[in-house]
Amino acid sequence: MDKPGYFGQWGGAYIPEVLYETFRELKEVYTNAKADPAFWQEYLDLMGSYSCRPTPLTHADNLSRHFGGAQIFIKREDLNHTGAHKANNVMGQGLLVKRMGKTRVIAETGAGQHGVACATMAAKFGFACTIYMGEEDVHRQRPNVFWMEKLGATVVPVTTGSRTLKDAINEAFRDWVSNMDTTHYVMGTVCGPHPFPEMVAWFQSIIGQEARKQIIKVHGKLPARVYACVGGGSNAMGIFQGFLTDPEVELIGVEAGGKGLDTGQHAARLASQDASPGVAQGYKTMFLQDADGQMRDTHSVAAGLDYIGVSPLLTDLWEKDRVRFAAATDQEVMAALDLTIKKEGIIPALESTHAFVQAFKEAGELAPDQAIIINQSGRGDKDIFTIAHAFDDPSWKEFIRKKGEEYAAR
Amino acid sequence: MQLVEQLRAARTKKDILLMTHLVLGYPSFAVNREVIHQMVANGVDIIELQIPFSEPMADGPMIIKANQEAIANGTKVADCLAFAAEMAAQYDIPFLFMTYYNILFKYGVKKFLNKAREIGIRGFIVPDLPPEEGEEYLQLAREFDLAPIQIFAPTSTEERMRILARHGAGFIYCVARRGVTGSKTEFDASFDAYLARCRKATDLPLAVGFGISSRADVQILTGKADLAVIGTATIRLVEEKGPEAVGPFIAGLRG
Ligand SMILES: Cc1ncc(COP(=O)(O)O)c(C=O)c1O
């Protein structure tokens, strides 16, 4: 038997003593909710009426024809309220916060999608909300910062460390150890101390439950392969859980290859040779770290994938050869994004586009009577500045320049 | 002599013991050396040497900065071990390592504890390693006669404190309040009640840390705790006034 909170040798709860009681309470509330069918029904009702569940499974017939192989299906998590799968987790944890009687929520965010989802949930449920976001991410995901603030959240730019997602997690913990009596930390992905990985995976399992039914309905059988991008791993675990017990379905996690795996400037924990076992941010997994155990700087064009660690659930599935890992570079992501927009009229988030890259590489290997699913974890609207910059778009630049002049003249 | 016996013996001669803290390699090992000299010369009873880690989750802004800059300056774990060996050989007082678990884990827990014992380190404070996750560490610490210092928090129940105390040795580190290192602590009636609960849960000496920065703070703790822990205050002092300010500061905390 594995120790509670362990998946194989990965996971655990490496928490400071001051949070021991807080975690005990959280585990209790989570365990009770899980055992209570009324809770899951309440969750489904909420996601059906407030978000857009079940999200559609779209047949990408133009892309399928383009690659001349498998039928490509896209699971549309971008059509969730707030534009990403993050809402699934956040609304679930919001219901737990109500049960705990807490009045304030805090969260880390990288791409800002989790932050926006959390601020939205806080607005709806009447909680105070503070979002920690690395300073670098504040700059590259500015539209989401604007919306979080409009939703009533306080956004704190984090200036310690590498100023990205891991540093935002550290700051959120520092807030929590001071304010745990009133505050719940809404961890945004399937990482961190037990019970977060398991609990967030539970809320995200709604993706896989739907996708399994949907693909059987439209395709008549299971897909050959399922692709998902992996930052912390929550959208991947979400969809993979629909197919974990079907050995004929191959599961592929796609990490951020950044500027290339041989440059060191990437965030590929399991697809590269650069990570090693470690314990940080409350859990044990494969981390991008040096020989002393100091975490390294990571790089990705997608803020939501730019992270040192990866879900203990996924590390276990990788070790057991159940999930295969690949990496997509920044450059490949831009090309796949362009193609998807032009062929299907769909704009995936930069994070999600990583999954598209690997699916596009492999679609041609399969026969037209086979299907693959790409989990489109989010929509790309938030990335408008990054994408416009990457495409060096002349009319966008002109627009920004004029706006700047307009504000400067006031 | 075991750490706990040594502290009890020291305590018979002083109303309260002082434990100080510094971050290795910040701002430099040369300054660390000077600061430790001043601390020992002015009667510090035990010193915590923090090996820097890139993700110091339980620390506040001042110590985060010290960790970050020490690493940016090129401080390696091997340098910290060599420096600690030098200090332990030079001074009679006990030295502890404080660090996060990944530093031990990556080095190899057994190899690290063995090395620590060899160079004369007496114990460890690892704030992100609860006993549930530290079976190997706790067992090896016992075997090597190193004190795995356990931490009590104001949120710990009495039952939890008794469990922690059973795993601990040397003394118990009582975190004075919620939050991270660095900011001020209010020593009010609820603090007294907390310390009374700590005292009830264990016979080990009690150290109180987090936000202790003045003679007045140390005076409040005298008679209630066995050790007062001075952390951020000396790091800030060195930053503002240089290492030579440490001696007079320490001398002024007691008596
Ligand atoms: C759209 C989108 N996809 C994916 C991710 C990565 O997170 P995870 O791996 O937990 O799904 C993020 C994180 O910010 C995101 O915003």
Side-chain angles (χ1 to χ4, degrees):
Chain A
M1 252 303 272
D2 287 348
K3 251 169 79 170
Y6 275 84
F7 310 94
Q9 56 170 320
W10 313 100
Y14 296 81
I15 50 170
E17 174 57 26
V18 71
L19 286 176
Y20 182 85
E21 272 302 303
T22 308
F23 272 87
R24 197 197 50 71
E25 183 194 9
L26 179 61
K27 280 185 282 190
E28 189 177 298
V29 169
Y30 158 62
T31 310
N32 291 342
K34 209 167 166 184
D36 174 6
F39 179 85
W40 191 256
Q41 193 52 52
E42 183 185 5
Y43 173 67
L44 290 182
D45 292 346
L46 177 64
M47 295 312 286
S49 63
Y50 188 62
S51 195
C52 188
R53 303 221 73 95
T55 59
L57 184 73
T58 302
H59 183 213
D61 37 357
N62 296 328
L63 284 170
S64 304
R65 219 172 305 119
H66 179 78
F67 291 105
Q71 299 308 312
I72 300 173
F73 289 88
I74 302 173
K75 178 63 174 161
R76 302 293 304 280
E77 289 305 298
D78 59 309
L79 296 179
N80 260 304
H81 182 38
T82 71
H85 69 295
K86 298 291 179 188
N88 306 334
N89 167 37
V90 156
M91 299 314 293
Q93 289 199 46
L95 293 176
L96 292 183
V97 175
K98 287 215 280 190
R99 286 195 168 194
M100 288 187 283
K102 293 187 174 181
T103 55
R104 177 174 177 261
V105 289
I106 56 173
E108 86 294 346
T109 195
Q113 287 302 114
H114 176 58
V116 168
C118 204
T120 301
M121 176 272 281
K124 180 168 171 61
F125 289 162
F127 304 141
C129 178
T130 300
I131 304 293
Y132 293 92
M133 188 169 188
E135 197 181 41
E136 188 182 323
D137 297 336
V138 167
H139 291 303
R140 54 180 170 170
Q141 306 276 234
R142 194 62 186 75
N144 276 341
V145 176
F146 173 79
W147 287 121
M148 284 186 265
E149 290 179 343
K150 274 285 158 251
L151 286 159
T154 304
V155 180
V156 181
V158 176
T159 57
T160 52
S162 59
R163 302 168 190 232
T164 57
L165 186 55
K166 77 171 173 68
D167 311 289
I169 292 176
N170 289 336
E171 278 311 303
F173 269 110
R174 290 180 187 120
D175 180 320
W176 208 19
V177 299
S178 312
N179 302 304
M180 72 289 260
D181 299 341
T182 59
T183 300
H184 174 66
Y185 176 11
V186 184
M187 171 73 71
T189 188
V190 277
C191 293
H194 177 65
F196 281 114
E198 186 186 311
M199 184 171 80
V200 176
W202 181 49
F203 290 128
Q204 294 292 3
S205 68
I206 193 168
I207 307 173
Q209 288 173 18
E210 290 175 8
R212 193 173 200 287
K213 279 191 217 133
Q214 289 167 322
I215 193 75
I216 288 174
K217 187 160 174 227
V218 296
H219 178 64
K221 58 180 179 185
L222 289 170
R225 298 179 190 174
V226 178
Y227 298 86
C229 70
V230 179
S234 65
N235 85 87
M237 273 313 298
I239 194 156
F240 290 171
Q241 282 174 99
F243 307 96
L244 271 181
T245 52
D246 305 305
E248 67 272 35
V249 181
E250 201 183 351
L251 307 173
I252 300 101
V254 189
E255 296 180 305
K259 298 186 174 159
L261 294 189
D262 50 0
T263 63
Q265 294 189 64
H266 61 77
R269 293 73 33 120
L270 300 177
S272 79
Q273 301 297 315
D274 296 352
S276 59
V279 177
Q281 307 208 301
Y283 68 111
K284 184 186 289 180
T285 194
M286 294 288 282
F287 283 103
L288 289 165
Q289 56 181 333
D290 72 12
D292 270 0
Q294 311 294 0
M295 297 302 145
R296 295 185 1 186
D297 276 357
T298 52
H299 168 81
S300 170
V301 69
L305 306 186
D306 198 354
Y307 180 56
I308 50 171
V310 59
S311 177
L313 290 110
L314 284 171
T315 307
D316 181 46
L317 292 167
W318 163 77
E319 200 171 45
K320 292 177 175 149
D321 277 335
R322 182 65 189 95
V323 176
R324 167 160 65 89
F325 276 82
T329 65
D330 293 353
Q331 218 177 353
E332 291 170 326
V333 163
M334 288 303 166
L337 179 67
D338 201 31
L339 186 70
T340 306
I341 296 173
K342 298 262 161 59
K343 291 269 176 214
E344 297 292 345
I346 286 174
I347 308 175
L350 288 172
E351 287 78 12
S352 320
T353 310
H354 285 69
F356 286 69
V357 168
Q358 192 61 28
F360 291 174
K361 285 182 190 168
E362 299 180 10
E365 299 168 6
L366 299 169
D369 66 344
Q370 291 182 296
I372 61 176
I373 302 178
I374 304 169
N375 197 27
Q376 184 180 340
S377 55
R379 65 177 182 219
D381 308 48
K382 70 181 174 61
D383 299 317
I384 190 162
F385 287 88
T386 313
I387 296 171
H389 186 78
F391 289 136
D392 201 24
D393 188 89
S395 68
W396 174 263
K397 280 199 289 194
E398 186 52 30
F399 161 71
I400 296 287
R401 208 174 287 122
K402 284 226 177 92
K403 260 292 175 221
E405 281 163 16
E406 191 184 315
Y407 286 136
R410 284 201 198 149
Chain B
M1 195 168 18
Q2 286 204 317
L3 181 62
V4 64
E5 294 162 15
Q6 194 174 343
L7 293 176
R8 284 198 178 117
R11 185 65 175 76
T12 60
K13 296 181 207 115
K14 296 174 183 170
D15 291 338
I16 191 159
L17 305 180
L18 291 181
M19 177 162 87
T20 51
H21 161 275
L22 45 93
V23 176
L24 295 177
Y26 179 78
S28 66
F29 283 110
V31 171
N32 288 160
R33 205 173 268 115
E34 172 61 20
V35 167
I36 291 172
H37 169 76
Q38 300 234 0
M39 286 173 172
V40 178
N42 287 280
V44 160
D45 302 283
I46 174 167
I47 296 180
E48 235 186 294
L49 304 171
Q50 180 166 359
I51 303 176
F53 179 48
S54 57
E55 318 303 317
M57 202 161 88
D59 282 302
M62 194 77 207
I63 297 182
I64 297 172
K65 175 168 173 257
N67 274 265
Q68 257 176 242
E69 291 192 11
I71 295 166
N73 291 343
T75 304
K76 298 289 178 212
V77 171
D79 305 327
C80 297
L81 292 168
F83 179 83
E86 180 192 326
M87 294 301 109
Q90 188 171 344
Y91 299 108
D92 273 342
I93 64 161
F95 287 88
L96 309 176
F97 273 141
M98 182 270 172
T99 195
Y100 292 83
Y101 182 53
N102 200 43
I103 298 293
L104 280 69
F105 180 79
K106 191 78 175 114
Y107 194 93
V109 175
K110 183 163 191 177
K111 204 173 131 202
F112 200 91
L113 264 63
N114 197 33
K115 179 77 183 173
R117 170 178 62 172
E118 262 172 40
I119 64 177
I121 290 292
R122 306 293 302 281
F124 283 89
I125 301 173
V126 188
D128 62 345
L129 189 64
E132 291 76 12
E133 300 290 0
E135 285 163 24
E136 182 195 11
Y137 158 81
L138 290 169
Q139 195 196 321
L140 287 166
R142 223 167 295 129
E143 206 177 296
F144 292 172
D145 204 14
L146 290 160
I149 308 300
Q150 295 298 305
I151 298 169
F152 287 179
T155 50
S156 311
T157 61
E158 278 181 42
E159 185 195 352
R160 178 72 183 160
M161 285 180 178
R162 277 192 296 272
I163 291 168
L164 292 167
R166 241 189 284 136
H167 293 290
F171 60 90
I172 295 288
Y173 190 123
C174 305
V175 171
R177 54 165 168 73
R178 290 164 174 73
V180 291
T181 54
S183 39
K184 185 97 193 90
T185 296
E186 297 303 328
F187 297 106
D188 52 15
S190 77
F191 173 78
D192 287 349
Y194 161 54
L195 264 200
R197 283 193 293 127
C198 298
R199 179 47 79 207
K200 224 176 107 192
T202 180
D203 293 334
L204 288 168
L206 299 181
V208 175
F210 275 40
I212 294 165
S213 62
S214 67
R215 181 190 177 98
D217 293 341
V218 174
Q219 245 161 16
I220 289 172
L221 293 179
T222 306
K224 294 178 185 167
D226 301 294
L227 298 95
V229 186
I230 319 290
T232 303
T234 38
I235 297 182
R236 186 173 290 130
L237 187 68
V238 172
E239 187 136 309
E240 286 167 4
K241 301 198 175 134
E244 57 283 359
V246 172
F249 169 71
I250 297 290
L253 286 174
R254 236 180 348 199

